[in-house]
Amino acid sequence: MKDTILKVKNLKKIYHDKKSEIVALENINFEVNKNDFISIVGPSGCGKSTILSILSKLEKQSDGNIEMDKNITIGYMLQNDSLFSWRTILENCLIGLEVTKQLTSENKQYVLDLLKTYGLYEFKDKYPSSLSGGMRQRVALIRTLAIKPDILLLDEPMSALDYQSRLAISDDIYKIIKNEGKTAIMVTHDIAEAISMSDRILVLSKRPSKVKKVYEINLTDKSTPINNRRCKEFSTYYDMIWRDLDVHI
Ligand code: ADP
Ligand code: MG
């Protein structure tokens, strides 16, 4: 049975500056069920990051509602890994717990366990500069998981990586999210990445944006993101979404 944990209703966002206003989101509607992996794709500047900022309460919507149970918590993994260079990997992972005053020995142990499970324990006392881009993304994800959010918001988590690392890290990130039983909303401009990882894809129109199409992704032999790229339905979804995005070259 579907367990809907988040409803976004008629979301509108207008940014104002001194002279003008930008209507970023016109009317956004969608629902998220527990354990869903949802991707949001759309043209650059259409308001994808704005949706995540509103969900995480960094920005306030101009109109519309977000319905969410009071006990549902949200973790936001920003576009670049934004690790602090002067803090060790462990210290970086503990920031969220420090800020929210939840740095108990039990929660610290949870972070150490995550670092162990996902192959980063031996780097816990190193600084971010000594890690590869892919490892830093995993650290950023563990930092976000440290506060035990129910829903993870991921803003183009792989965009700063080269193609090979992006494939590998999409597998890692997917595995971690599924293992930890999380619900995820990921923004990406990479159609293949979205199809390979998601249960559902929202395609946004250009600004002022609306949800133009919703795709339920049903792949035969669905497994890991890398393998999913070989499923026979993959290219059909790719072509349909590519057409929806209406990219003019
Ligand atoms: P996307 O993530 O899809 O590329 P964004 O959500 O970052 O798009 O931005 C949507 C639109 O809103 C863009 O035109 C952007 O310039 C504008 N915008 C985003 N943040 C602000 C802000 N803080 N102030 C004013 N305009 C903004
Ligand atoms: Mg963005």
Side-chain angles (χ1 to χ4, degrees):
M1 211 181 72
K2 278 185 189 169
D3 181 5
T4 305
I5 56 174
L6 172 67
K7 286 184 185 171
V8 173
K9 289 188 171 168
N10 306 320
L11 202 63
K12 183 166 184 158
K13 176 66 182 177
I14 305 175
Y15 287 109
H16 298 274
D17 63 20
K18 286 197 186 84
K19 291 198 199 95
S20 60
E21 58 175 40
I22 295 172
V23 183
L25 306 174
E26 173 77 53
N27 184 13
I28 302 288
N29 290 282
F30 64 95
E31 292 187 358
V32 180
N33 302 320
K34 192 169 180 353
N35 297 124
D36 268 349
F37 196 118
I38 291 182
S39 286
I40 301 176
V41 301
S44 176
C46 75
K48 302 181 293 297
S49 298
T50 298
I51 295 175
L52 299 192
S53 302
I54 294 171
L55 289 175
S56 67
K57 298 200 165 69
L58 288 177
E59 287 282 353
K60 196 161 171 21
Q61 66 263 41
S62 310
D63 204 353
N65 290 314
I66 292 171
E67 292 177 10
M68 195 168 66
D69 234 41
K70 274 200 189 65
N71 48 19
I72 297 284
T73 54
I74 285 191
Y76 193 0
M77 183 169 147
L78 295 168
Q79 185 156 359
N80 49 35
D81 64 39
S82 62
L83 299 178
F84 292 125
S85 58
W86 60 91
R87 285 186 153 228
T88 64
I89 298 309
L90 178 59
E91 287 165 352
N92 265 289
C93 289
L94 297 177
I95 285 177
L97 292 171
E98 285 173 20
V99 171
T100 55
K101 301 199 166 33
Q102 301 180 74
L103 188 54
T104 58
S105 56
E106 188 190 343
N107 285 338
K108 184 174 176 183
Q109 190 56 49
Y110 176 64
V111 169
L112 289 168
D113 289 343
L114 287 172
L115 289 168
K116 260 182 217 153
T117 308
Y118 300 113
L120 289 160
Y121 187 77
E122 61 187 290
F123 301 95
K124 70 179 176 25
D125 301 317
K126 300 241 183 319
Y127 289 88
S129 59
S130 58
L131 268 58
S132 68
M135 289 165 91
R136 285 203 297 272
Q137 284 308 106
R138 270 188 285 150
V139 173
L141 180 58
I142 289 173
R143 177 181 58 185
T144 312
L145 290 171
I147 55 162
K148 299 186 180 162
D150 302 293
I151 304 178
L152 283 165
L153 308 178
L154 311 163
D155 197 349
E156 309 218 14
M158 273 75 78
S159 65
L161 304 172
D162 62 81
Y163 183 69
Q164 300 294 336
S165 313
R166 223 158 68 205
L167 291 185
I169 292 301
S170 64
D171 259 24
D172 284 347
I173 286 190
Y174 183 83
K175 194 164 68 190
I176 296 171
I177 287 171
K178 290 295 167 194
N179 277 351
E180 302 300 318
K182 302 296 179 186
T183 304
I185 306 175
M186 177 175 82
V187 161
T188 178
H189 60 260
D190 186 327
I191 302 171
E193 193 171 278
I195 301 166
S196 71
M197 297 177 81
S198 314
D199 302 305
R200 194 159 354 115
I201 298 179
L202 312 180
V203 183
L204 302 191
S205 65
K206 56 181 190 296
R207 203 163 50 76
S209 65
K210 297 179 181 161
V211 179
K212 186 173 179 180
K213 282 272 182 66
V214 179
Y215 290 93
E216 299 286 337
I217 304 298
N218 294 305
L219 301 174
T220 318
D221 303 324
K222 189 173 164 117
S223 60
T224 65
I226 288 181
N227 289 336
N228 288 346
R229 289 172 185 251
R230 288 196 281 269
C231 291
K232 63 178 193 296
E233 300 87 352
F234 194 89
S235 59
T236 312
Y237 284 121
Y238 192 99
D239 291 344
M240 288 192 289
I241 296 172
W242 173 257
R243 270 200 295 274
D244 292 337
L245 289 177
D246 195 19
V247 185
H248 297 288
I249 314 170

